[in-house]
Amino acid sequence: MPYPIDPVIQEQPSGCGIAACAALAGVGYEESRRIANGLGIYAEDQALWSDTEYVTRLLHAQGLEAQAPAPFPGWERLPDRALLAIRWRLENGRPFWHWVVFARDAGQARVLDSKRALKHNVRTDFWRMQPKWFMAVTIDK
């Protein structure tokens, strides 16, 4: 059975990757940011939201493992815990996206979106999100 998970709100405009890792690890944003900064990962670095290596390293440092990115297979076929790339786009030939967390607990699927401006950070409006790809996340044993 997967562990319970709650959304973490990003405290920086570009901190969605740090917030997503915090939610998956069950820690607050500040703790996740402290660990990220210790690894040389900063929210201000655009590579955080255009390269998967940074969140993979941050998850590992928090006792979690992420599988390689895979094409989005549909909501029903996602694992119980995953990072999703939504709002995927190209800017000057470079890919960018917004990190969110997919969680399924007791058969109930939801997306945890760290964006501060949202009225509700637990989302079930799956038809609006259109993920490009996902990374399955597991506890490192």
Side-chain angles (χ1 to χ4, degrees), residues 1-3 80 105-106:
M1 173 100 167
Y3 49 94
D80 289 340
D105 297 300

Side-chain angles (χ1 to χ4, degrees), residues 12-131:
Q12 298 165 284
S14 55
C16 59
I18 292 171
C21 291
L24 286 161
V27 300
Y29 186 87
E30 281 302 318
E31 175 68 11
S32 193
R33 179 166 65 178
R34 184 189 62 74
I35 294 167
N37 291 172
L39 296 169
I41 300 168
Y42 301 92
E44 300 82 11
D45 183 353
Q46 289 186 354
L48 183 60
W49 22 282
S50 66
D51 187 335
T52 62
E53 184 233 340
Y54 296 94
V55 294
T56 301
R57 285 182 31 226
L58 181 53
L59 286 169
H60 183 73
Q62 295 180 87
L64 301 168
E65 289 296 321
Q67 293 179 3
F72 179 70
W75 296 104
E76 301 79 23
R77 294 182 56 206
L78 284 173
D80 289 340
R81 296 288 183 265
L83 279 172
L84 298 176
I86 67 170
R87 294 194 333 244
W88 193 96
R89 66 212 177 271
L90 285 175
E91 292 181 14
N92 298 321
R94 186 175 182 182
F96 287 92
W97 56 83
H98 176 62
W99 290 110
V100 295
V101 174
F102 175 81
R104 185 182 297 109
D105 297 300
Q108 296 296 114
R110 59 205 169 101
V111 168
L112 310 176
D113 192 329
S114 64
K115 187 175 178 180
R116 182 177 295 281
L118 291 175
K119 188 174 183 178
H120 303 285
N121 296 95
V122 176
R123 298 178 60 181
T124 55
D125 57 337
F126 302 115
W127 65 92
R128 290 186 180 172
M129 290 182 254
Q130 301 177 354

